[in-house]
Amino acid sequence: MKELVIDLEAEKNEILKRYRALLRACKPTMQKGDKTMIRKAFDLALESHQSMRRKSGEPYIYHPIAVAQIAAEEIGLGTTSIVCALLHDVVEDTDVTLDDIEHDFGKKVAKIIDGLTKISGVFDTNSSLQAENFRKMLLTLADDVRVILIKLADRLHNMRTMEFMPRDKQLKLSSETVYLYAPLAHRLGLYAIKSELEDLSMKYTERETYQFIKLKLNEKKTEREKFIHDFIQPVEKILVAQDVHADLFGRPKSIHSIWNKMKKKSIPFEEVYDLFAIRIILDSPPEQEKSDCWKAYSIITDLYRPNPDRLRDWISSPKANGYESLHTTVMGPRGQWVEVQIRTKRMNEIAEKGFAAHWKYKEASTDSGLDQWVQKVRDMLKNPDSNALDFLDDFKMNLFSDEIFIFTPKGALIQLPSNATALDFAFEIHSDVGASCIGAKVNHKLVPLGHKLQNGDQVEVITSSKQIPKEDWLNIVVTAKAKAKIKSALKEEKRKIAEDGKEILERKLKSLKITYNSDNIYKLSYFFKLQSTQDLFYNVAKGLIDMKDLKEFVASEKIIEIKSPEKIETEQVQSMLRSIKAKDSDILLIGEDMQKIDYKLSACCNPIPGDDVFGFITVSEGIKIHRTNCPNATKLMSNYGYRIVKARWTNQQELAFLTGLRITGIDDVGLINKLTTIISNDFKVNIRSITVDSDNGIFEGSIMVYVNDTNHLENLIKKLNDVKGITAVTRFDSAVEKAS
């Protein structure tokens, strides 16, 4: 192997060059004494990381400098954040402690770096280390939102430089990114970063699709630029004539959003018309912003016919993350729809740099949706659920949803996520109002608690002092606040019942001559397969455990060894990992003679040979094989990274694997016969099931077939596409399943 030759002098010069570039990026926000502070942080980082290198072979210090550069340039953060970005890995990777940081740089910097430092050592094995780390980071959001912003800069640089990482690490980081970090960037208004994070994740999880769309976009580049030029020219003329100062340009849509559109509408790339958006950035004084935007809208819609259903006014009612813009879709000169975004320079800076820019202009808008959101997160964090994974699910649910605007009976405006119900609204007003809610009046009509609210509804809550929160309410609400309040109310109720159960159990054990002590209580919990002693007391109070069950326990008590469910789960996961690693390689080879290791092909994505796959260790069903682009993959890799094993196919014998095909087309006599002939006779493929629906001449069918591998499947799809009248044949995933 060729030895790596390192030119230390050249590296030293490169480090200084990058440091100077960072100082230039910091210039706009720098004040007296800031440069000294940044230099001090840079020197400490340089010294701490001097012997470390990245996977690419570069000096490790390149990474903190790059993170600080992103924080300054792309997010617009100030000196404190730059110092924290430079030092973000120091405590985790070197001998420097948080106390040292506090001594040299102050309490604020130490607190932010603590939020950025991963948890190490002992933690609840039943939970997920990733989820715990994420929760820790969010807890510091209650004090300082900069923790999240620096974390996003850190993640962005890691994603940009991920090609040297092993494949399983690439998949894990990409999944985490698209599951948590991209939604966070979206919620904090960092649209450019959000799009780049999604694209970079897709580059590793959907490699072929990503390259295909990228290639197609490049092919059409010249044609697209000409179209944008022809579209913009007449608009510019009128804007100049009316003395409106503006910059106009075309911006291509992100690869991820194009892919989403293709999936959502089941259309090929060629049929995605809005591959770009036209942006009009107005140079307006604050008092004229609104009128200038509508003036530009009027000019655009005089020239090009607008689609009346596609007007989005986020100027009158900005999004919760502070985003303000006017969006319309118009019919362009060549008969295709074009999205036009109209906003001012101030609005554009907030759209690009989100939170940081929002604070800069804060005086202009007193009550902001972004402040409200941060406040909501703070409220939620006051009573975080004991399980970090539940907490994350609730938190994530409120990250990506669009807002609807609801009015109180007195006309006050309340923002809720779309799909929110009357019960969510009640909890949004006040926890006590939610807890005692029995119904609501929406636009003066009586509705049940689960009624989904629409934009612009006026809602009046009806309460009763006799009402208490119910278990099934958790299925009705969508906001994290409502879920947290209902869970804590149910817990309190359960605790009271468990108190009674404790007394009942004590009496029953006494009559069986069993000593009431913690050892026996744990043994009982384990015997009845319950998660906690509180569950045991609760079940006794509810009559789910009686004397007969307790006598059974007494009979078998001699052979019981106390193990918590968490311990059992950990042991199972670890023994499976050991059995894989014992086989010369830590890669699970699928299709070999593998009596030793029990694995199943997951039903949620039906992987077949040729698919990019990974193994996931379940507790009850051995190892399940999933496709890397399975609908569940991002959640599994984000939350249970320690249970993931690398997997690849070996040369298969002629085995058959189940997969699903969705076929659409124009209904015609004998169409089904043609399709089944190709599948059964030409390809010798067995059909497991076929469901067909025909509506007004449109044919839609789902066929479950057995194929050998991805090549076999691609040839079959190609052949079916050639049938006259068929418009699309796509492979589909099955149901979404829970991790177990």
Side-chain angles (χ1 to χ4, degrees), residues 385 390 394 397 419 421 423-424 427 449-450 468-491:
D385 203 272
D390 285 354
D394 290 352
M397 192 162 56
N419 290 330
T421 60
L423 189 54
D424 281 305
F427 274 102
L449 298 178
I468 56 163
K470 313 276 194 304
E471 186 91 39
D472 63 342
W473 281 16
L474 289 168
N475 303 323
I476 294 174
V477 295
V478 301
T479 59
K481 180 182 179 181
K483 282 203 169 209
K485 296 294 179 194
I486 294 165
K487 277 178 186 171
S488 64
L490 291 171
K491 264 187 184 167

Side-chain angles (χ1 to χ4, degrees), residues 593-660:
D593 180 22
M594 294 193 62
Q595 292 108 348
K596 285 184 197 168
I597 297 170
D598 181 22
Y599 72 86
K600 284 182 184 165
L601 300 178
S602 173
C604 59
C605 57
N606 291 321
I608 62 176
D611 282 333
D612 213 350
V613 289
F614 66 92
F616 178 72
I617 298 175
T618 67
V619 178
S620 50
E621 300 176 88
I623 295 174
K624 280 199 164 179
I625 307 299
H626 290 261
R627 279 157 56 193
T628 51
N629 58 359
C630 161
N632 298 312
T634 50
K635 186 170 181 179
L636 296 178
M637 289 188 201
S638 299
N639 289 334
Y640 305 94
Y642 61 101
R643 291 206 208 161
I644 301 291
V645 286
K646 288 183 273 188
R648 64 179 167 81
W649 302 95
T650 57
N651 292 337
Q652 277 296 335
Q653 311 306 313
E654 286 295 302
L655 290 176
F657 294 85
L658 188 66
T659 191

Side-chain angles (χ1 to χ4, degrees), residues 545-568:
I545 293 172
D546 55 22
M547 283 298 276
K548 186 164 80 43
D549 300 316
L550 291 171
K551 280 172 184 166
E552 263 178 45
F553 161 73
V554 174
S556 64
E557 199 264 333
K558 297 170 192 65
I559 54 167
I560 289 177
E561 180 201 346
I562 307 168
K563 275 188 191 174
S564 68
E566 292 92 339
K567 197 174 175 198
I568 296 162

Side-chain angles (χ1 to χ4, degrees), residues 272-325:
V272 180
Y273 292 120
D274 49 350
L275 293 171
F276 57 88
I278 303 288
R279 207 171 264 176
I280 300 174
I281 312 289
L282 302 162
D283 192 358
S284 300
E287 66 280 1
Q288 266 176 253
E289 282 190 335
K290 223 173 185 178
S291 57
D292 281 358
C293 287
W294 285 109
K295 195 175 185 181
Y297 172 79
S298 165
I299 291 167
I300 284 279
T301 50
D302 281 349
L303 279 168
Y304 305 110
R305 185 176 290 278
N307 178 339
D309 298 332
R310 298 288 301 155
L311 173 65
R312 298 283 179 270
D313 173 12
W314 285 304
I315 289 177
S316 309
S317 307
K319 283 189 177 185
N321 58 17
Y323 182 81
E324 294 172 76
S325 193

Side-chain angles (χ1 to χ4, degrees), residues 428-459:
E428 198 59 38
I429 298 292
H430 195 279
S431 308
D432 296 343
V433 173
S436 56
C437 177
I438 53 169
K441 281 185 179 175
V442 173
N443 306 327
H444 309 295
K445 278 187 184 164
L446 204 59
V447 296
L449 298 178
H451 175 83
K452 278 191 182 170
L453 301 175
Q454 304 294 320
N455 220 352
D457 279 347
Q458 190 166 24
V459 183

Side-chain angles (χ1 to χ4, degrees), residues 668-712:
D668 193 8
V669 179
L671 185 63
I672 294 179
N673 189 28
K674 282 179 203 165
L675 296 175
T676 50
T677 305
I678 287 172
I679 295 169
S680 305
N681 297 0
D682 299 5
F683 274 81
K684 304 284 183 286
V685 168
N686 287 327
I687 300 175
R688 185 171 100 170
S689 65
I690 182 164
T691 52
V692 177
D693 192 18
S694 184
D695 183 21
N696 292 329
I698 301 297
F699 167 89
E700 274 194 4
S702 298
I703 302 178
M704 297 300 288
V705 291
Y706 287 98
V707 294
N708 302 128
D709 54 29
T710 45
N711 284 341
H712 193 192

